[in-house]
């Protein structure tokens, strides 16, 4: 599934590939959306093309240094960019956190689930993680359903842990253990 030379993953409908600077405009267009901002922990808003460029420029060094792996979620046949998925690398603990966003026009089509399953397989088979975890705002239950569909189990809730948009939100943690490694 993971092509080491091209650093890509192929699923039934998607190709997960490294971002290129030519993606910056599309990233900015997709992320400059209040509905995405309110359901993500670190995405700025408004999301300018400069934000996209600086974010993409950091990917290569992070990948080479095994700190963070970031992939564009693209359509296998049209190459259309749907979103992003990333995985941190906590080497000391042999685990990492998966995070993703999908452009609003592509919500509800299963792309986040398909990409998350691929990134979990990458973490376990290529990077030999013991565990992958993820978090979502209680106000974004759709993200929790993605985690559940990928075999992750709810591990706990941090009550009123995030202050965003002038209100507190619970942060719900999910995880999955590598039972083959």
């Amino acid at each position: 599934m993971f092509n080491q030379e091209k650093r890509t993953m192929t699923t039934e409908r998607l190709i997960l590939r490294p971002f290129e600077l030519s993606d910056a405009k599309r990233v900015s267009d997709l992320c400059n959306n209040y509905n995405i901002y309110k359901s993500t922990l670190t995405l700025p808003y408004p999301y300018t093309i400069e934000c996209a460029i600086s974010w993409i420029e950091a990917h290569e060094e992070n990948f080479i240094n095994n700190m963070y792996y970031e992939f564009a979620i693209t359509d296998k046949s049209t190459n259309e960019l749907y979103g992003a998925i990333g995985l941190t690398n906590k080497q000391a603990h042999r685990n990492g956190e998966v995070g993703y966003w999908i452009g609003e026009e592509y919500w509800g089509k299963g792309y986040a689930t398909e990409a998350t399953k691929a990134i979990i397989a990458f973490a376990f088979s290529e990077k030999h993680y013991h565990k992958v975890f993820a978090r979502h705002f209680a106000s974004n239950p759709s993200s929790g359903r993605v985690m559940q569909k990928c075999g992750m189990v709810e591990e706990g809730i941090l009550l009123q842990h995030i202050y965003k948009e002038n209100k507190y939100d619970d942060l719900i943690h999910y995880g999955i253990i590598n039972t083959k490694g």
Side-chain angles (χ1 to χ4, degrees), residues 25-155:
K25 172 78 169 77
R26 185 70 177 139
V27 168
S28 175
D29 291 346
L30 291 172
C31 288
N32 196 30
N33 178 325
Y34 177 77
N35 290 325
I36 291 178
Y37 161 77
K38 72 180 185 181
S39 63
T40 56
L41 199 55
T42 59
L43 217 61
Y45 183 79
Y47 196 98
T48 64
I49 193 156
E50 291 79 17
C51 289
I53 289 168
S54 65
W55 177 67
I56 291 169
E57 285 178 339
H59 293 176
E60 182 69 12
E61 186 175 340
N62 287 340
F63 201 105
I64 290 169
N65 292 324
N66 284 312
M67 295 170 50
Y68 197 85
Y69 313 106
E70 194 76 50
F71 297 93
I73 301 171
T74 64
D75 184 274
K76 192 179 195 175
S77 55
T78 67
N79 298 316
E80 187 171 359
L81 178 64
Y82 294 148
I85 189 160
L87 180 70
T88 63
N89 185 6
K90 309 291 185 201
Q91 292 178 334
H93 303 294
R94 294 185 57 216
N95 71 29
E97 180 177 11
V98 63
Y100 45 81
W101 59 263
I102 300 290
E104 186 173 14
E105 61 199 272
Y106 308 110
W107 290 359
K109 300 183 185 325
Y111 298 137
T113 300
E114 196 170 323
T116 301
K117 286 178 178 178
I119 208 88
I120 290 170
F122 167 77
F124 290 167
S125 65
E126 297 293 324
K127 297 299 177 181
H128 309 291
Y129 286 20
H130 176 67
K131 179 181 182 178
V132 172
F133 63 96
R135 306 174 289 169
H136 74 89
F137 296 150
S139 60
N140 184 14
S142 297
S143 195
R145 284 192 292 280
V146 167
M147 295 168 197
Q148 292 164 7
K149 289 176 191 173
C150 293
M152 299 178 112
V153 296
E154 185 180 313
E155 296 181 335

